Amino acid sequence: MMTKVFIEEHLDKYLKSLVKGKLFIPGVIIGQVIGNNYHIVHLSAMTVWNDDIQNNKIDVLAFKTLSDLLANSDTIFQKSLEVATLLPGGSHVLGLFFIVPQDLKSIQPIDIDFYAFHSELNENLLFKKPNETWNYLILNYSTVNKKSYCYSVDFNRVSGPEKTTYKAVDSVCGSFNNDWITFIGTFNFGTLDRLNVGGGPKALFSIRDSLLDKFESVLNESVCTFNGHVCDENKTFKDFECDEIDNVLKNVVKIEFYREVDLGNECKNASLTVKRGKGKISMSGLCSIVVPFNRNGTIKDALKAIHEDAMQTFATRLKMHLESMVEEESLEEEDGDANILHETPRRILILKTEGSKFAFSDYVFPGETSQEALCVAGEILNLAEDKMELYDMLEKGRHSYYETLPDIDSSPPQDASTSSSNNMLIYFTWAALILAIFAYVMKQIFM
């Protein structure tokens, strides 16, 4: 079967808008691989802060010569990793694009070290994805003949020198807005056991992998339903019925997880609680899964993407907890009575509104504004604010969910002033009663 690359129509205009004279401009290709076909939803030019600190302006990363570009490949790889951290499960950095001020007919594809690129992504991503069978892409756009050429990249390092081969592939530009759906669902950390750790952050980091393994086993034992139905794994989503959420998220398919449980051994409080000394981390259970997915994919492909997203969001939240604990370690050392309560960071969506409405993901702690995350995502993805939309309602108020559980004391804590007033009322009542008894006794004596 021939490999094809499907590219959102507006991205061709995006490439042309990046052209700046005779400069070499690198960027990241984002999308999904379904079967043998690549579906590109976004091209992200790499951005850097310019030298004019007063104006606080962001520029597109560019190089004067091809040699300069190749010499700065580490920077390109690192910028690609920043993009990868915003991707939901099932979506990947598919490769790199380059704007080249030359006639592409007379040059070969840019021979960048894709082995090092692959290693950088896989070694530094928080949740390591299993090796995929697809190859990376390289997309070249010539500013001379104003044409794009796409290649698949096959690299290997067998015994001897490294070898990279490039194969030209067909690219199809078009409008694919209706080809994308979004899976929305929730899971909770109540499926994991409580943990008590007394060794501080180092101990918590040491158990991170075991937590991920345990969570993955729970996912693999669960049954996932799509709009309330268990579907054949070979079924595609071409004619799947979709919903809409808040007039923002279109073409939504709701998913749910079911697993066999022993009610007698279920953890009472549906959350993962990690305690350390007098400090405490409380990872609330209800967390969202958000997976943009191409309609041409099968149920089997979707399940893989959904599991990947659940693992990524769990790993990301756990990492943020551990980092916040390290930052506040000094506070506990200075104040021995410190009792720090960490709340789980909340997932928010950064929706790309041009072309298909693709949902990137970021996380904010209580006290942080979602708008800040929108600005950071815009910088990393090189998206203007009018081409993004913020959606932060999926997990809003999720902590109050646990207050309704029957095995948790949901009675509101008494206010200190209310408690004091109640105590004073009791004292006055007793005093009045004693005074009345004393007066009655004295009256009987004198009479």
Side-chain angles (χ1 to χ4, degrees):
M1 183 177 178
M2 286 287 293
T3 297
K4 283 189 176 181
V5 177
F6 297 91
I7 306 175
E8 296 276 348
E9 197 169 38
H10 68 280
L11 295 177
D12 187 55
K13 298 176 183 176
Y14 174 74
L15 283 176
K16 294 174 183 176
S17 72
L18 295 173
V19 175
K20 289 185 177 181
K22 295 184 178 181
L23 294 175
F24 292 81
I25 300 174
V28 181
I29 302 172
I30 299 168
Q32 289 182 349
V33 181
I34 304 294
N36 290 328
N37 295 327
Y38 296 74
H39 301 270
I40 298 175
V41 292
H42 185 56
L43 300 175
S44 176
M46 300 172 182
T47 56
V48 291
W49 291 98
N50 65 7
D51 296 331
D52 188 357
I53 301 176
Q54 290 183 346
N55 292 331
N56 215 26
K57 188 180 177 184
I58 298 175
D59 289 334
V60 171
L61 185 64
F63 301 94
K64 293 182 179 179
T65 66
L66 181 58
S67 298
D68 291 339
L69 185 150
L70 296 175
N72 287 275
S73 58
D74 288 345
T75 301
I76 296 172
F77 298 165
Q78 186 60 40
K79 292 286 183 181
S80 302
L81 182 60
E82 291 178 9
V83 172
T85 58
L86 296 174
L87 295 179
S91 300
H92 305 274
V93 170
L94 298 183
L96 299 170
F97 73 82
F98 298 97
I99 295 176
V100 184
Q102 298 178 25
D103 186 342
L104 284 173
K105 293 180 181 179
S106 62
I107 63 170
Q108 294 295 319
I110 293 177
D111 191 15
I112 202 162
D113 190 349
F114 270 91
Y115 184 88
F117 174 71
H118 175 78
S119 299
E120 181 82 13
L121 286 179
N122 283 271
E123 288 175 7
N124 292 285
L125 284 176
L126 184 61
F127 166 63
K128 294 182 179 179
K129 305 177 181 68
N131 291 328
E132 300 286 345
T133 56
W134 47 267
N135 297 326
Y136 286 106
L137 295 178
I138 180 170
L139 178 66
N140 285 342
Y141 175 75
S142 170
T143 60
V144 175
N145 54 15
K146 296 179 173 54
K147 287 187 178 180
S148 297
Y149 296 86
C150 195
Y151 306 87
S152 64
V153 182
D154 185 15
F155 62 88
N156 58 68
R157 283 193 178 184
V158 292
S159 56
E162 61 186 274
K163 182 181 178 183
T164 304
T165 56
Y166 302 92
K167 180 182 178 181
V169 292
D170 292 334
S171 57
V172 180
C173 286
S175 178
F176 307 114
N177 295 9
N178 294 325
D179 287 354
W180 289 86
I181 57 178
T182 304
F183 299 121
I184 300 289
T186 58
F187 68 92
N188 66 65
F189 293 113
T191 55
L192 299 176
D193 297 328
R194 297 181 191 181
L195 296 170
N196 292 295
V197 180
K202 290 184 179 179
L204 290 174
F205 279 113
S206 69
I207 64 171
R208 185 177 67 190
D209 289 342
S210 64
L211 282 175
L212 288 172
D213 290 340
K214 186 179 291 188
F215 184 52
E216 187 172 30
S217 68
V218 170
L219 286 172
N220 292 334
E221 293 168 3
S222 301
V223 175
C224 184
T225 64
F226 299 82
N227 285 344
H229 301 285
V230 178
C231 303
D232 182 89
E233 67 176 17
N234 296 315
K235 179 181 175 66
T236 66
F237 293 89
K238 289 182 179 179
D239 301 316
F240 220 82
E241 187 175 344
C242 298
D243 295 325
E244 184 177 302
I245 299 178
D246 297 337
N247 296 320
V248 176
L249 291 171
K250 315 287 185 180
N251 297 333
V252 171
V253 174
K254 294 179 180 177
I255 59 171
E256 291 180 291
F257 288 105
Y258 294 89
R259 73 184 183 101
E260 186 177 354
V261 297
D262 180 359
L263 294 178
N265 295 325
E266 273 298 277
C267 181
K268 288 185 178 181
N269 188 354
S271 64
L272 169 66
T273 302
V274 182
K275 294 184 178 180
R276 174 174 59 92
K278 293 185 179 180
K280 183 174 72 172
I281 286 182
S282 180
M283 292 185 73
S284 149
L286 189 62
C287 295
S288 62
I289 295 174
V290 184
V291 180
F293 194 73
N294 192 276
R295 282 185 182 272
N296 292 302
T298 63
I299 294 289
K300 185 177 181 180
D301 296 326
L303 287 172
K304 181 180 177 183
I306 290 166
H307 283 204
E308 184 180 285
D309 190 72
M311 291 288 288
Q312 283 184 186
T313 189
F314 173 77
T316 300
R317 294 172 207 249
L318 184 59
K319 177 177 181 287
M320 292 177 72
H321 270 301
L322 302 182
E323 289 177 344
S324 63
M325 287 186 70
V326 171
E327 290 173 2
E328 295 185 1
E329 184 75 17
S330 58
L331 177 60
E332 288 195 58
E333 291 176 356
E334 294 172 4
D335 186 356
D337 295 328
N339 186 26
I340 305 168
L341 179 65
H342 292 247
E343 197 173 337
T344 306
R346 183 163 56 93
R347 187 177 196 171
I348 60 171
L349 305 183
I350 311 295
L351 302 176
K352 180 181 74 70
T353 57
E354 189 173 20
S356 57
K357 212 164 195 177
F358 190 86
F360 296 94
S361 293
D362 204 353
Y363 300 85
V364 293
F365 274 113
E368 296 177 334
T369 65
S370 302
Q371 190 64 35
E372 293 174 7
L374 182 70
C375 295
V376 173
E379 176 192 337
I380 294 175
L381 299 170
N382 193 32
L383 275 171
E385 206 165 312
D386 61 350
K387 294 181 180 179
M388 295 185 295
E389 190 171 356
L390 180 67
Y391 187 74
D392 62 353
M393 300 298 291
L394 278 178
E395 297 179 16
K396 196 166 186 178
R398 62 196 169 91
H399 298 286
S400 61
Y401 165 81
Y402 296 100
E403 295 175 3
T404 64
L405 294 179
D407 52 344
I408 299 178
D409 182 11
S410 59
S411 58
Q414 272 195 321
D415 184 72
S417 60
T418 304
S419 178
S420 300
S421 299
N422 290 341
N423 290 336
M424 292 296 293
L425 182 61
I426 292 172
Y427 295 151
F428 281 124
T429 302
W430 277 106
L433 181 60
I434 293 172
L435 184 61
I437 294 173
F438 179 75
Y440 176 78
V441 172
M442 292 299 295
K443 182 179 179 181
Q444 292 298 321
I445 293 175
F446 285 105
M447 289 181 62

